[in-house]
Each structure stands twice: as C-alpha cells, then as structure tokens.
Amino acid sequence: MIVRTIADAKVVDWGNGLSRRFLLSGDGLGYSITDTIVTAGTKSRLQYRNHLEACYCIEGSGEVVDMEGNSFPLTPGTLYALDKNDAHYLIASKEGDMRLVCVFSPALHGDERHSLDAAEFSHY
C-alpha cells in the first residue's frame, strides 16, 4: 500500500505552475497521479508525445483549446482527456489559479518539465 500526503509529493515547477507528483514510475503502478496548479492568466502550448493524460478540474477555471481552435471551458467538476497525444493550449483564467488532478499513462519518471517555447511543442 502506498499512502502519501501533499507534503510527501515531488514538486516540479513546469513553467506555468507546479506539478505535485504523488505517484511515479518507480512506484510500479504504470500510471502517475499529480495535483497540478496552473498559474492564473497563463497560456501554455503543450503536447504529451509519450503519455496519455486525463485532467479533472477541482478548483479555479480556464479552458483547453485544441489545435483547430475548439475551446472547452474548464470549471470544477470538468474532466478532459488527451487520448491521442493531442497538442493543445491550456489557459488559466486571470481570476485565480486553476487546480487539476491529472493521471498520466505510462507513469512519469518524476523530473519531466515542459518547454514552453512557442516555436516548439512541450513534450515529455
């Protein structure tokens, strides 16, 4: 059994917020769970080429925008899943930070960070 508190999670600054990583590849479960803060007013162009991801919004608000320009509002109680390694923009509202609980498969190693360079997609 694995029991961790937020104080035990590995904290990674991913560029436009913090990723508090509860489960990593070394735990042997095959997936990761993170508690992710997206800083208010930020826009991040992202793509996970080696991981599928599902994110559940538990606090704050924002939107996820696909590369065709389709925008999907994110508010507490909304989940989005990147089931095809989808490139996307993650945008947090200016009113406050957005908080997401995210699951990655396969599991993150732990030190992965985004490259937020507009000229190239971020990826793990």
Side-chain angles (χ1 to χ4, degrees), residues 2-67:
I2 299 169
V3 177
R4 294 198 174 114
T5 68
I6 199 159
D8 301 322
K10 179 176 183 67
V11 179
V12 174
D13 182 337
W14 59 269
N16 281 340
L18 297 176
S19 176
R20 284 114 29 124
R21 298 174 180 184
F22 281 87
L23 295 174
L24 298 168
S25 61
D27 295 315
L29 297 173
Y31 59 89
S32 290
I33 294 181
T34 70
D35 182 325
T36 300
I37 301 296
V38 185
T39 304
T42 61
K43 180 178 182 179
S44 308
R45 185 177 180 185
L46 307 171
Q47 183 175 21
Y48 307 97
R49 293 182 179 145
N50 299 312
H51 303 274
L52 299 178
E53 180 188 15
C55 296
Y56 181 66
C57 182
I58 60 170
E59 192 174 304
S61 64
E63 62 184 307
V64 62
V65 181
D66 66 22
M67 298 315 289

